[in-house]
Amino acid sequence: MKVIYHLNSSDLGAVAAEAAWAEAMGYDGVATSETAHDPFLPLALAATATSRVTLDTRVAIAFPRSPMVLAYTARDLQDLSGGRFRLGLGTQVKGHIERRYSTSWISPGPRLREYIQALRSIWDAWESGQGLSFSGDFYKFSLMTPFFSPGPGSFPHPRIFNAAVNAYNCRVAGEASDGLALHTFTSAKYVTDVVRPNVAAGAAMAERKVSDVTISGGGFIITGPNKAAIEEATREVRQRIAFYASTRTYFPVLECHGFQEIGPKLHRMSLEGRWEEMGNLVSDEILEAFAVIGEYDEIAPKVLERYGGLVQEVGLSIATSGAADEVQLKRIIRDLQDGE
């Protein structure tokens, strides 16, 4: 199992050192998300400070960007990193696409599939030097002159991962992507019952092997040197679970566990701005379903027990406060990498 670190720094000036630290700890990859900051700029800095780890967007929001714009960005990061960039794409949800990005929300699943196909068509045109001709339901590209083409690359095309919560986008991953980037708000049961069968169905539609699709995820992981540290981290995770569970797009994940009643309650509270109270509704049973919890010496076996055989990569970001914590972190990473 590979282990991916999510960059925490909101200060671009600190990113290079953080990425170098993650590589020194033994992580297999470094990832960024698109929340309050751009997901690509930190990876450019990380590329210059590392030599081994993959560099992933987990995820960049697709629809506010033309596939052409993103094709250039991904190609540049692939070249800069020596072939280590992996493009993770997500759809976001309707409210954010329409009201935060002022972009249209049209058939997100089919549009995401076509977006991935368009990216590959653009990259292939650059590689071959032949004309660009892509015509779909949502995107059409028919112009690429030599002046605007970077030409053949020195590395393979970036691998593409798409994020998915619903069954349809899991099938998109199986059909069109190199990997599936699971949302943190998931569970082993949801991966077993929904994610993997639909990835397999998508792969079968495209006559691909399901083993060609890397599943990357692992839910929430709560760990620390002692119970006090774990209790503090647990409070934060309860809040995050409540936030995601309040979003109607994620209600199917709750339904998989029979927790469907809490979703509408949390949604109403979010509309009322009662964010601080929402974590109180997350019971120990819900917490246990979505989080793996254990002290440093327990956590790797627990993660492997729950997700071994279900995912090929797991996201793990542990805050360390000294050399002793770093020794433990290196051991945890090695134990996960040595597991199935």
Side-chain angles (χ1 to χ4, degrees):
M1 183 180 287
K2 293 186 177 181
V3 189
I4 308 299
Y5 175 80
H6 286 254
L7 290 167
N8 292 315
S9 179
S10 59
D11 176 10
L12 281 176
V15 164
E18 186 181 2
W21 171 86
E23 186 169 79
M25 289 297 102
Y27 280 101
D28 297 290
V30 167
T32 57
S33 59
E34 184 163 18
T35 51
H37 297 276
D38 178 86
F40 296 104
L41 288 176
L43 294 182
L45 295 168
T48 65
T50 60
S51 60
R52 177 183 56 79
V53 292
T54 57
L55 305 167
D56 308 350
T57 53
R58 292 296 174 90
V59 291
I61 309 305
F63 301 150
R65 301 175 173 93
S66 163
M68 182 64 70
V69 171
L70 199 47
Y72 284 114
T73 301
R75 166 62 184 274
D76 287 345
L77 282 170
Q78 182 76 330
D79 289 347
L80 178 64
S81 66
R84 293 181 288 133
F85 176 64
R86 304 194 303 182
L87 177 61
L89 294 173
T91 62
Q92 246 297 343
V93 297
K94 182 178 180 180
H96 283 268
I97 291 297
E98 291 185 340
R99 295 163 52 205
R100 184 159 66 92
Y101 287 107
S102 189
T103 302
S104 60
W105 178 261
I106 305 169
S107 302
R111 186 179 175 190
L112 179 64
R113 181 197 295 107
E114 189 174 297
Y115 197 107
I116 295 166
Q117 294 167 342
L119 279 169
R120 298 195 195 282
S121 181
I122 293 166
W123 290 334
D124 287 345
W126 293 345
E127 195 69 27
S128 67
Q130 298 177 359
L132 173 60
S133 179
F134 180 88
S135 181
D137 295 328
F138 309 97
Y139 299 102
K140 292 177 173 59
F141 298 96
S142 59
L143 177 64
M144 180 54 59
T145 62
F147 184 77
F148 293 104
S149 172
S154 301
F155 306 96
H157 298 335
R159 296 186 71 203
I160 299 175
F161 284 59
N162 74 263
V165 174
N166 63 47
Y168 191 99
N169 282 358
C170 290
R171 292 195 293 274
V172 169
E175 183 181 356
S177 295
D178 300 296
L180 171 61
L182 290 173
H183 197 284
T184 313
F185 184 61
T186 191
S187 67
K189 178 174 173 57
Y190 194 75
V191 174
T192 301
D193 294 355
V194 178
V195 171
R196 290 183 64 87
N198 281 284
V199 170
M205 290 169 57
E207 299 183 346
R208 303 173 68 199
K209 295 184 294 184
V210 70
S211 58
D212 292 337
V213 185
T214 299
I215 300 180
S216 182
F220 294 98
I221 298 175
I222 302 174
T223 190
N226 51 54
K227 287 183 171 55
I230 290 174
E231 287 176 2
E232 181 177 350
T234 297
R235 284 192 291 273
E236 180 183 346
V237 170
R238 284 187 196 272
Q239 289 295 126
R240 291 180 64 191
I241 290 174
F243 169 74
Y244 292 127
S246 72
T247 304
R248 285 174 290 189
T249 301
Y250 303 146
F251 283 5
V253 185
L254 295 171
E255 293 166 5
C256 180
H257 289 271
F259 299 146
Q260 57 267 26
E261 292 184 0
I262 192 177
K265 294 178 182 177
L266 288 167
H267 182 67
R268 286 193 297 272
M269 293 175 73
S270 71
L271 295 177
E272 295 165 359
R274 297 162 60 190
W275 300 103
E276 294 298 324
E277 302 174 45
M278 288 165 54
N280 297 330
L281 270 64
V282 177
S283 66
D284 289 345
E285 183 183 8
I286 294 173
L287 179 70
E288 175 62 26
F290 294 107
V292 182
I293 307 170
E295 295 186 26
Y296 284 156
D297 59 345
E298 304 170 317
I299 197 63
K302 286 189 173 185
V303 171
L304 290 168
E305 180 181 6
R306 187 172 297 190
Y307 286 103
L310 293 180
V311 303
Q312 288 77 53
E313 300 177 355
V314 66
L316 175 72
S317 297
I318 299 176
T320 57
S321 58
D325 279 354
E326 290 185 349
V327 169
Q328 293 279 22
L329 175 57
K330 288 180 178 180
R331 180 186 56 77
I332 293 167
I333 292 170
R334 286 196 305 270
D335 287 349
L336 289 170
Q337 290 167 337
D338 291 342
E340 293 294 329

